Amino acid sequence: MNKSRAIKNSECYYELNMLKLLFKMNLLTEEEYKCVVKIVLKESENILLTA
């Protein structure tokens, strides 16, 4: 794995962990959480395909 791909992966994991934290703190509803997770995963998939 090259450096730029590793950085993109870590960004994705960071985003997902922050979303999980917000959800556990009841700052996001389950619907909001699922919606944003889908967006983050789709975005990271597009980045990984072009990296």
Side-chain angles (χ1 to χ4, degrees), residues 1-10 47-48 50-51:
M1 179 183 307
N2 63 26
K3 186 177 180 180
S4 66
R5 189 168 190 164
I7 291 170
K8 299 296 181 189
N9 283 344
S10 63
I47 290 171
L48 292 176
T50 60

Side-chain angles (χ1 to χ4, degrees), residues 3-48:
K3 186 177 180 180
S4 66
R5 189 168 190 164
I7 291 170
K8 299 296 181 189
N9 283 344
S10 63
E11 289 173 359
C12 178
Y13 288 120
Y14 178 80
E15 290 178 27
L16 292 173
N17 285 329
M18 289 303 295
L19 286 170
K20 192 183 300 182
L21 178 64
L22 292 172
F23 178 66
K24 287 181 179 180
M25 295 172 65
N26 293 323
L27 297 173
L28 289 175
T29 65
E30 186 173 355
E31 183 179 323
E32 292 169 328
Y33 173 76
K34 288 180 179 180
C35 180
V36 178
V37 166
K38 285 180 187 176
I39 292 169
V40 168
L41 292 175
K42 186 172 184 178
E43 179 183 297
S44 67
E45 182 180 286
N46 289 336
I47 290 171
L48 292 176

